[in-house]
Amino acid sequence: MIEAVLFDLDGTLADTAPDMALTVNRLLERHGKPRVPIEAVRPHVSKGARGMIGAAFGLKPDDAGFQALREDFLALYEENLCVDSRLFPGMEELLDALEAQGIAWGVVTNKFERFARPLLAALGLADRAAVIVGGDTCPRPKPFPDPLLFAAAQMGIAPMQTLYVGDDERDVQAARAAGMPVLVAAYGYLGDGAPPVLWGADGIVDSPVGIGAWMREMRAEPGAAR
């Protein structure tokens, strides 16, 4: 029986790609480079600044100039956290339904807390979330299980009764290591690695509505451990 749901933020709870693209394009303009379309960076949003700089500038973390660009990107992003970022269609209704059923929900993201908390506040969710865990909350971020286990402990709910939903393979890896059931948000960014069907999740959903439907199926299944 699922008693809590934890969401990844970028690409699962909210579509933050527009503001990530806005930020990287402002950074490109600073360096006299042409803008890139949102479609070019959307698959890399879940990787944060590293993904944006890699997609737009072709640089890796060990390359010269990467760290300076990363700091500039983060400073710009802090000024543009929620210009066009929005909850995915159907997510507000899902959160309302969870709350109506007494099911706690929270956020576990690799986005640093100094960005995650103001963004959730701007979306009107900071006071509703039972827990908010950022990429710097615990010593090790996803794909390690630490932040998921920390979130479950904060809510006082066993990991096996806590569903995690994410749009990146490391989300599935973290949930598996934490002993949590896990769904892939196929409506999210998904990255450019192996297809989600190979990630080993308990299910793949095409919308927030699908999350609620999966949970109802689990409740109706005789002898379901979840």
Side-chain angles (χ1 to χ4, degrees):
M1 182 73 174
I2 300 298
E3 295 186 7
V5 182
L6 295 172
F7 298 94
D8 175 47
L9 178 49
D10 301 282
T12 301
L13 187 73
D15 184 6
T16 58
D19 292 332
M20 296 287 272
L22 169 66
T23 301
V24 82
N25 276 320
R26 290 188 175 177
L27 189 58
L28 284 165
E29 289 171 357
R30 281 189 179 183
H31 289 265
K33 295 181 179 293
R35 296 169 60 89
V36 294
I38 189 172
E39 292 77 14
V41 297
R42 182 179 288 273
H44 307 279
V45 169
S46 291
K47 298 175 186 175
R50 173 172 57 90
M52 294 294 95
I53 293 168
F57 291 86
L59 293 178
K60 299 177 181 178
D62 292 336
D63 292 337
F66 176 89
Q67 290 302 325
L69 283 173
R70 178 180 179 276
E71 293 306 314
D72 286 347
F73 177 90
L74 293 176
L76 282 170
Y77 183 55
E78 198 161 15
E79 300 171 0
N80 299 280
L81 281 173
C82 199
V83 178
D84 292 311
S85 293
R86 298 290 185 270
L87 294 181
F88 280 104
M91 183 56 71
E92 180 68 39
E93 291 79 3
L94 173 62
L95 299 181
D96 288 344
L98 292 176
E99 292 172 359
Q101 297 169 57
I103 297 174
W105 66 267
V107 174
V108 178
T109 174
N110 273 6
K111 188 188 290 291
F112 288 170
E113 278 198 52
R114 76 176 191 268
F115 304 121
R117 288 185 178 276
L119 173 55
L120 288 167
L123 292 170
L125 299 179
D127 294 333
R128 294 172 60 183
V131 65
I132 300 171
V133 178
D136 53 348
T137 304
C138 298
R140 302 187 303 178
K142 299 177 296 182
F144 294 101
D146 308 31
L148 276 68
L149 293 172
F150 177 81
Q154 290 293 107
M155 293 187 296
I157 297 174
M160 67 179 297
Q161 296 175 313
T162 303
L163 173 66
Y164 190 63
V165 188
D167 70 320
D168 191 274
E169 186 172 11
R170 68 185 171 194
D171 295 322
V172 177
Q173 294 167 344
R176 283 285 172 251
M180 293 182 180
V182 58
L183 295 178
V184 173
Y187 56 85
Y189 306 140
L190 302 181
D192 55 357
V197 70
L198 300 179
W199 295 355
D202 291 295
I204 300 174
V205 297
D206 292 325
S207 70
V209 172
I211 300 170
W214 185 89
M215 293 175 65
R216 288 192 295 274
E217 289 176 9
M218 289 301 101
R219 285 199 298 271
E221 186 175 307
R226 304 180 186 90

